[in-house]
Amino acid sequence: MNAYKILVVTAVTAEAEAIRPGLDSDLIVVGAVGVGPAAAAAGTARLLATGSYRAVISAGIAGGFPGRATIGGTVLATRSIAADLGAETPDGFLPVEELGFGNSVLECDPALVKALSEALPAALTGDVLTLSTVTGTQATADRLAARFPRAVAEAMEGYGVASAALGAGVPFAELRTISNPVGPRDRAAWRLADAFAALRAAAPALKAIS
């Protein structure tokens, strides 16, 4: 069994290819596992079973909450939150905690967050939401912003990656770069090139924890 220090998990190959160049593959393994929390959890668990890792990083592009995260910026999660894990009721959304069925909030490892923050001093820290459905209306964006006042971004994999890392007893962190505002779906407003450029620029910071 090969031993590696850091596992970096992305959703899609394009994200992995933005991160991988310049990193020592003997120290940092980068793998794409699929879109969404279920694929992320299963793929991360599979990769963790192939080697010995001391940290897992969920990385990729994300939507940023307007007024909190800027397009092309970099964010580091302090917590990864499964924002749609729970139940809909006539009185509003009930998180899974209130149903007595588990936990929708997973803390990122403070030492990893500190190391990444020091390597990326311009990065914004805050909660990153995991959703199975990308926000596409202003009403949903407003509800999420009100429910999660510390949320800086939303993506689709962090909580799944974190769950697999927790199950394996491996510290976890989440790094995202912002491609679009959370809100009405408008592909013309997405700045994927800026987000991928930021992801490439942030990748060397992973060496700080390797």
Side-chain angles (χ1 to χ4, degrees):
M1 181 183 298
N2 293 326
Y4 300 101
K5 289 186 176 180
I6 304 294
L7 174 63
V8 181
V9 179
T10 71
V12 299
T13 300
E15 292 167 324
E17 290 177 345
I19 293 168
R20 190 177 288 119
L23 298 180
D24 186 341
S25 61
D26 289 331
L27 298 176
I28 302 174
V29 175
V30 183
V33 297
V35 174
T44 302
R46 174 180 55 80
L47 291 172
L48 284 170
T50 67
S52 178
Y53 300 93
R54 78 169 187 86
V56 179
I57 311 297
S58 176
I61 64 173
F65 282 92
R68 301 180 187 177
T70 59
I71 306 300
T74 299
V75 302
L76 298 169
T78 51
R79 303 186 299 175
S80 291
I81 301 176
D84 55 4
L85 184 60
E88 186 178 25
T89 78
D91 297 320
F93 182 82
L94 285 180
V96 71
E97 288 89 346
E98 294 188 32
L99 300 173
F101 294 147
N103 186 8
S104 64
V105 179
L106 295 178
E107 300 279 345
C108 295
D109 182 78
L112 291 179
V113 175
K114 181 176 185 291
L116 288 169
S117 295
E118 290 175 349
L120 295 166
L124 180 68
T125 58
D127 294 338
V128 175
L129 309 184
T130 298
L131 294 154
S132 295
T133 301
V134 173
T135 298
T137 68
Q138 191 61 52
T140 299
D142 291 343
R143 283 196 298 270
L144 289 171
R147 281 179 58 207
F148 303 102
R150 292 190 288 168
V152 292
E154 70 165 33
M156 302 180 75
E157 294 80 30
Y159 183 86
V161 177
S163 296
L166 178 65
V170 180
F172 164 82
E174 184 170 4
L175 182 157
R176 297 283 174 177
T177 58
I178 305 303
S179 61
N180 59 280
V182 175
R185 186 171 176 80
D186 178 10
R187 289 299 298 269
W190 290 19
R191 287 164 48 185
L192 292 174
D194 291 345
F196 276 107
L199 195 58
R200 286 189 293 272
L206 297 168
K207 298 176 184 178
I209 59 172
S210 64

